[in-house]
Amino acid sequence: MKSAKVFLMISVLIFLAAQKPISFWQKPSHFPKPIFDFKEKPLDSAKVFLGRLLFFDPILSKDNSISCASCHSPYNAFAHTDHPVSHGINDQIGNRNAPALFNLAWQKLFMWDGAINHIEVQSLAPISHPKEMNENINAVLEKLKKSNLYKSAFKKAFGDTIITSAKLLKAIAQFELTLVSANAKYDKVYLGKDTFTDQEKRGYILFKQHCNSCHQEPLFSSYEFETNGLKPDTTYNDYGRFLMSNNPMDSFKFKIPSLRNLAYTYPYMHDGRFKKLSEVLNHYTNDLKTSQKIAVQLKGGLQISGNDKADLLAFLNTLNDKTFVFNPAYQFPKELLQTNEGN
Amino acid sequence: MKKFGFILLFTYSFWAQAQNSVSIRFEPIYNQFRLEPNLIYPNLVDSIQFQELKFYIGHVQLYNDDSLVAIATHSHYLIDIHQNQTITLSIPNQASFNQLRFQLGVDSITSVSGALEGDLDPSLGMYWTWQSGYIHSKIEATVFGSNRNKTQFTYHLGGYQFPYNSLQTIQLGLVQTETIKIDVDIAAFLEHEEVLKQSVIMSPKPASLVLSQIFAHSFKVSQK
């Protein structure tokens, strides 16, 4: 009798141990395997929260005026609506459009030119860029060490109050990795929970015909680098990926952006030159700068009629993920207000 | 008796596993003088003052011919004239070695591994922020000419990607001692004709690669 009890207890324990721990991050079932290694660097709720504090806190900038969220606002799918290029410290203007932040775990290289090789070191770039936050990482650490909120948040996240740049960078990356957008109408249709209208269906066929080779579903980007036939802007003279690789074949190549959440992320292109999606489509059908280096898929321009464009836009509209944009876990953390009020 | 035998065995095994330590110091020198920050060093026609001299030494290993004898505890060490740094390795008792192998720089796997701690912390001024990757050698100096015109040298050497992977592997034969001193002859580097051609390098490019190769030749086992 006693042994039966022990056996039962042991089986319950084995059963409990076999249960997977509740993961903070779950891969959407229809998404491919992410590039980020979550086994090696699992997400942790305290680190994610610390990262969220840092993401929304202007303490990262030299005069405490600009936060990551200044140019990557949750309501714009973490882009900067209405601004062709980003605005930094002292109203300085950069030369590229702030990219929307989501599904970053599936991306190998970051920035329009792929200058950054790992999400954990990405935030060093805007923190130190003279036209963005213009701050030294060591000065950020000194400011954080004086804050009780951060002492406590670092302790919860990393087990001690020693604040280092590696911890700060890891925490910001952890928050950014939670930004998964996979709940648009497209996703619901894909998972059999919704259906496309006739127009959306026609648009989906056109998408697969004209767009999918670069903007591959379900992420809606291959995240490769391509030349898309834009006339170089003579103000910026931005050579894109060439600036990183020094390879002339990379001149004017930029990272292919995802087509998810376009309704929230205008204006479009690396320099934000187009305000409307119709302008983007007209560029691809009528206005390509033909050069030898243009992406092979675009040679000769896309052949899409006016009616077809309307259908295509209807499909693109199914990629807008409202639950992503309004997810409460991604919004400004109220805890930051308390520090500003001296608590 | 049995017990005694056990103690003997225990003592023997402890003795067999005993380790000796070997310490390695990398010492930048300028025309025989040990280099220190902000001192002015005379040259033939001018004088020179160093503001920064830092470089990464990675994967430090001692070999006996082709067999590995010991590996340093950390993968990388940042050598800085502003600080004293000794690298200590443990070698098995009675083991011998006749060669030191190490890398100048940070290997590509480490360069794509995210935010790292310790000597690889990106806040140490050796990480490029606008693009990923470590500066493996930072040499900043002011040269005062005979006419007292100042010339500034700024060499930030690095790059981990093809075709500008600037990582250098260095092998130095040596005579076994408990302390190994490696002289890093900065004068020989700065007076090299390729180095004299340019005063500023701050990104991975062909010149960065060439200067990294020249810098790697400045590492010699100290004869003193």
Side-chain angles (χ1 to χ4, degrees):
Chain A
M1 189 57 203
K2 202 180 171 188
S3 65
K5 254 187 187 171
V6 169
F7 177 73
L8 189 70
M9 266 176 68
I10 290 173
S11 356
V12 167
L13 283 175
I14 290 172
F15 176 72
L16 287 175
Q19 294 287 299
K20 273 189 181 170
I22 298 164
S23 171
F24 197 82
W25 184 91
Q26 278 195 314
K27 184 182 85 63
S29 59
H30 57 305
F31 272 27
K33 189 173 171 254
I35 284 170
F36 188 85
D37 188 347
F38 287 99
K39 273 194 190 132
E40 192 201 339
K41 301 183 175 192
L43 290 192
D44 167 87
S45 58
K47 289 180 188 150
V48 170
F49 178 69
L50 171 61
R52 185 170 147 216
L53 287 177
L54 291 163
F55 189 90
F56 283 91
D57 197 336
I59 199 167
L60 296 187
S61 63
K62 194 175 190 78
D63 63 358
N64 305 314
S65 64
I66 303 276
S67 72
C68 305
S70 301
C71 295
H72 299 282
S73 151
Y75 300 110
N76 307 139
F78 293 93
H80 201 187
T81 299
D82 234 8
H83 291 77
V85 293
S86 57
H87 290 215
I89 198 163
N90 299 326
D91 290 333
Q92 289 190 91
I93 295 173
N95 58 357
R96 286 182 189 159
N97 180 258
L101 307 183
F102 52 80
N103 301 344
L104 299 167
W106 287 268
Q107 302 184 31
K108 195 177 169 198
L109 297 171
F110 301 88
M111 316 299 253
W112 280 109
D113 55 13
I116 307 292
N117 68 26
H118 195 289
I119 190 169
E120 286 179 356
V121 290
Q122 190 282 332
S123 49
L124 281 169
I127 290 172
S128 53
H129 195 291
K131 286 184 171 181
E132 295 185 45
M133 292 171 168
N134 191 29
E135 182 60 300
N136 181 303
I137 184 77
N138 290 306
V140 176
L141 298 179
E142 287 312 308
K143 287 191 267 184
L144 295 175
K145 282 173 190 169
K146 289 180 190 143
S147 153
N148 288 332
L149 173 71
Y150 282 108
K151 268 185 220 159
S152 142
F154 272 86
K155 183 154 200 305
K156 279 180 194 152
F158 294 100
D160 58 50
T161 53
I162 301 163
I163 296 179
T164 67
S165 62
K167 289 176 186 170
L168 171 141
L169 297 169
K170 282 173 197 287
I172 294 175
Q174 289 238 327
F175 170 66
E176 290 173 333
L177 288 163
T178 67
L179 307 177
V180 175
S181 177
N183 199 28
K185 182 175 182 184
Y186 161 85
D187 301 290
K188 289 175 190 149
V189 173
Y190 194 101
L191 299 170
K193 293 175 185 164
D194 203 341
T195 47
F196 283 139
T197 65
D198 287 345
Q199 191 183 25
E200 288 163 355
K201 264 185 218 164
R202 290 196 299 273
Y204 187 29
I205 291 165
L206 289 161
F207 164 81
K208 285 199 275 199
Q209 193 183 336
H210 296 291
C211 320
N212 193 41
S213 58
C214 290
H215 298 281
Q216 286 161 13
E217 49 180 340
L219 296 163
F220 291 90
S221 176
S222 61
Y223 294 118
E224 293 296 327
F225 297 83
E226 273 302 353
T227 315
N228 70 347
L230 288 173
K231 290 182 181 68
D233 186 310
T234 49
T235 322
Y236 303 130
N237 281 320
D238 189 345
Y239 287 85
R241 184 128 184 84
F242 170 73
L243 300 173
M244 292 301 118
S245 68
N246 281 316
N247 180 352
M249 290 305 288
D250 286 340
S251 285
F252 305 112
K253 274 190 183 174
F254 292 91
K255 193 172 170 184
I256 298 166
S258 172
L259 301 182
R260 287 178 173 270
N261 298 311
L262 293 173
Y264 310 111
T265 60
Y266 67 92
Y268 308 108
M269 303 300 182
H270 66 274
D271 53 9
R273 68 176 68 184
F274 298 135
K275 282 187 180 151
K276 293 177 180 167
L277 280 178
S278 55
E279 293 173 62
V280 175
L281 291 183
N282 291 341
H283 161 73
Y284 284 124
T285 53
N286 308 336
D287 212 16
L288 290 178
K289 178 183 179 288
T290 45
S291 74
Q292 286 182 323
K293 287 174 208 133
I294 195 167
V296 284
Q297 294 91 335
L298 292 174
K299 286 222 164 117
L302 299 183
Q303 310 294 321
I304 311 174
S305 72
N307 283 344
D308 283 354
K309 281 180 188 170
D311 292 348
L312 190 52
L313 290 174
F315 169 71
L316 293 177
N317 205 31
T318 70
L319 302 179
N320 298 319
D321 183 353
K322 203 172 173 182
T323 57
F324 172 72
V325 169
F326 292 103
N327 187 335
Y330 302 154
Q331 311 303 323
F332 182 88
K334 288 190 287 293
E335 289 79 356
L336 282 180
L337 295 172
Q338 291 163 1
T339 52
N340 296 339
E341 287 161 12
N343 293 314
Chain B
M1 188 56 206
K2 226 179 179 180
K3 207 174 177 183
F4 179 72
F6 179 73
I7 290 170
L8 203 67
L9 189 72
F10 181 78
T11 318
Y12 172 76
S13 63
F14 184 76
W15 176 77
Q17 282 172 14
Q19 306 239 298
N20 284 341
S21 70
V22 174
S23 60
I24 304 173
R25 284 182 56 81
F26 286 86
E27 211 160 275
I29 55 165
Y30 194 84
N31 291 339
Q32 314 299 323
F33 298 105
R34 186 177 162 185
L35 206 68
E36 285 182 50
N38 301 320
L39 290 182
I40 294 178
Y41 294 84
N43 204 339
L44 287 176
V45 289
D46 44 23
S47 54
I48 190 163
Q49 183 182 37
F50 289 85
Q51 286 82 42
E52 291 281 6
L53 180 62
K54 298 199 257 193
F55 50 87
Y56 275 112
I57 296 296
H59 302 284
V60 179
Q61 298 172 330
L62 287 169
Y63 272 79
N64 194 32
D65 296 331
D66 275 331
S67 31
L68 180 64
V69 176
I71 301 178
T73 322
H74 298 294
S75 71
H76 293 85
Y77 296 87
L78 180 59
I79 311 295
D80 182 350
I81 47 165
H82 292 270
Q83 281 165 1
N84 271 324
Q85 169 85 286
T86 303
I87 302 169
T88 309
L89 290 86
S90 298
I91 61 163
N93 205 0
Q94 292 187 317
S96 28
F97 59 85
N98 57 15
Q99 199 184 71
L100 173 68
R101 295 186 190 177
F102 58 93
Q103 292 175 345
L104 168 65
V106 179
D107 60 273
S108 59
I109 299 286
T110 307
S111 297
V112 298
S113 300
L116 302 170
E117 308 262 5
D119 280 9
L120 292 167
D121 190 310
S123 68
L124 296 173
M126 295 295 277
Y127 198 87
W128 274 305
T129 56
W130 49 277
Q131 97 178 112
S132 297
Y134 286 91
I135 297 166
H136 68 63
S137 302
K138 196 178 220 185
I139 303 167
E140 295 179 5
T142 311
V143 174
F144 303 94
S146 47
N147 56 2
R148 288 286 151 194
N149 279 340
K150 279 207 286 186
T151 310
Q152 186 70 37
F153 288 101
T154 308
Y155 300 125
H156 295 180
L157 310 178
Y160 69 95
Q161 278 176 306
F162 177 84
Y164 308 126
N165 185 345
S166 59
L167 186 75
Q168 303 296 313
T169 303
I170 298 172
Q171 290 189 18
L172 300 172
L174 43 79
V175 177
Q176 182 158 357
T177 47
E178 274 178 28
T179 54
I180 300 167
K181 201 163 76 104
I182 305 298
D183 287 341
V184 186
D185 187 356
I186 304 300
F189 169 76
L190 285 177
E191 282 156 21
H192 193 284
E193 59 174 331
E194 285 296 323
V195 181
L196 289 171
K197 277 185 194 166
Q198 44 230 318
S199 53
V200 178
I201 296 174
M202 295 179 81
S203 62
K205 55 183 176 182
S208 179
L209 189 57
V210 171
L211 264 64
S212 300
Q213 288 159 349
I214 296 167
F215 191 39
H217 284 108
S218 311
F219 290 74
K220 304 256 159 61
V221 178
S222 176
Q223 300 305 326
K224 281 184 197 166

